[in-house]
Amino acid sequence: MTDYTEEEPHFLLDSNIVSEIIKPEPDFNVIKKIAEHNSDCAICTPVWQELLFGLYRLPEGMNKKYLEKFIKDDVHENFRIKNFSERAADIHASLRAKLEQKGRPTQKEDSMIAAIALANHMVLVTRNTKHFTAIQEVSDLQVENWFEETV
């Protein structure tokens, strides 16, 4: 088992996990797990892009201003952002080729997120575990769903 230091987060959060934080009534399990592992969590550049894209699509108003402050201040300050590195690009290309050979292509953003998790030896945390099933069949990707209560 690998030892993880404070410098290297262990959990890579998908956008659906980060989005849960801002909901008026967020899922208790997600909030609890983020509180438990806060310093051990990160997001990645594709997730950052998804959050910003969602923000920029909103009409102008108080809700957009609130979300912009949350994303650009709170999320950016509390979670390190892992980049799509050369190593992640190599892993991503390999994953896509393997999945294509099996006749199981996957969404590009999801496979990029998975590749970043694999390149950084991180556990991917998502609500959409089914999106990553095929990737798990051709890699060592570890996935957790913090919406489900774990023992």
Side-chain angles (χ1 to χ4, degrees), residues 41-78:
C41 294
I43 62 173
C44 60
T45 48
V47 167
W48 182 243
Q49 179 277 142
E50 287 175 347
L51 293 169
L52 291 173
F53 178 63
L55 170 68
Y56 296 150
R57 290 173 51 199
L58 292 173
E60 293 302 322
M62 289 306 293
N63 192 36
K64 183 173 183 174
K65 285 185 169 113
Y66 174 71
L67 283 172
E68 183 171 18
K69 180 172 178 17
F70 171 74
I71 291 169
K72 291 189 174 177
D73 292 345
D74 298 339
V75 172
H76 196 265
E77 299 231 349
N78 287 304

Side-chain angles (χ1 to χ4, degrees), residues 13 35 76 101 119 127 135:
L13 307 181
H76 196 265
Q101 288 168 357
R127 183 176 210 164
I135 295 169

Side-chain angles (χ1 to χ4, degrees), residues 75-94:
V75 172
H76 196 265
E77 299 231 349
N78 287 304
F79 301 114
R80 289 184 49 193
I81 300 176
K82 299 301 238 175
N83 290 316
F84 187 71
S85 64
E86 270 185 64
R87 178 160 163 66
D90 188 323
I91 291 168
H92 183 240
S94 174

Side-chain angles (χ1 to χ4, degrees), residues 6 11 18 27 34 42 44 51 54 63 67 71 85 92-94 96 103-104 121 126 139 148 150:
E6 285 184 10
F11 297 103
V18 179
D27 183 271
I34 288 175
C44 60
L51 293 169
N63 192 36
L67 283 172
I71 291 169
S85 64
H92 183 240
S94 174
R96 289 184 67 205
R104 304 214 37 209
H121 310 287
T126 184
S139 73
E148 297 173 351
T150 54

Side-chain angles (χ1 to χ4, degrees), residues 2-143:
T2 307
D3 290 327
Y4 294 94
T5 63
E6 285 184 10
E7 293 93 37
E8 291 302 320
H10 181 62
F11 297 103
L12 187 66
L13 307 181
D14 198 357
S15 53
N16 54 48
I17 299 295
V18 179
S19 299
E20 192 65 21
I21 301 168
I22 202 165
K23 289 185 177 176
E25 294 183 32
D27 183 271
F28 175 76
N29 290 324
V30 172
I31 298 304
K32 182 176 143 199
K33 291 293 256 179
I34 288 175
E36 284 174 21
H37 300 291
N38 195 324
S39 64
D40 207 15
C41 294
I43 62 173
C44 60
T45 48
V47 167
W48 182 243
Q49 179 277 142
E50 287 175 347
L51 293 169
L52 291 173
F53 178 63
L55 170 68
Y56 296 150
R57 290 173 51 199
L58 292 173
E60 293 302 322
M62 289 306 293
N63 192 36
K64 183 173 183 174
K65 285 185 169 113
Y66 174 71
L67 283 172
E68 183 171 18
K69 180 172 178 17
F70 171 74
I71 291 169
K72 291 189 174 177
D73 292 345
D74 298 339
V75 172
H76 196 265
E77 299 231 349
N78 287 304
F79 301 114
R80 289 184 49 193
I81 300 176
K82 299 301 238 175
N83 290 316
F84 187 71
S85 64
E86 270 185 64
R87 178 160 163 66
D90 188 323
I91 291 168
H92 183 240
S94 174
L95 286 174
R96 289 184 67 205
K98 288 175 185 175
L99 290 166
E100 188 177 277
Q101 288 168 357
K102 287 180 144 263
R104 304 214 37 209
T106 189
Q107 186 186 42
K108 191 173 180 181
E109 287 81 6
D110 287 342
S111 57
M112 288 175 75
I113 293 166
I116 293 168
L118 287 163
N120 291 283
H121 310 287
M122 298 173 81
V123 175
L124 176 59
V125 180
T126 184
R127 183 176 210 164
N128 301 327
T129 55
K130 289 179 184 168
H131 291 190
F132 298 95
T133 304
I135 295 169
Q136 287 182 286
E137 292 172 9
V138 297
S139 73
D140 294 331
L141 180 66
Q142 294 179 337
V143 177

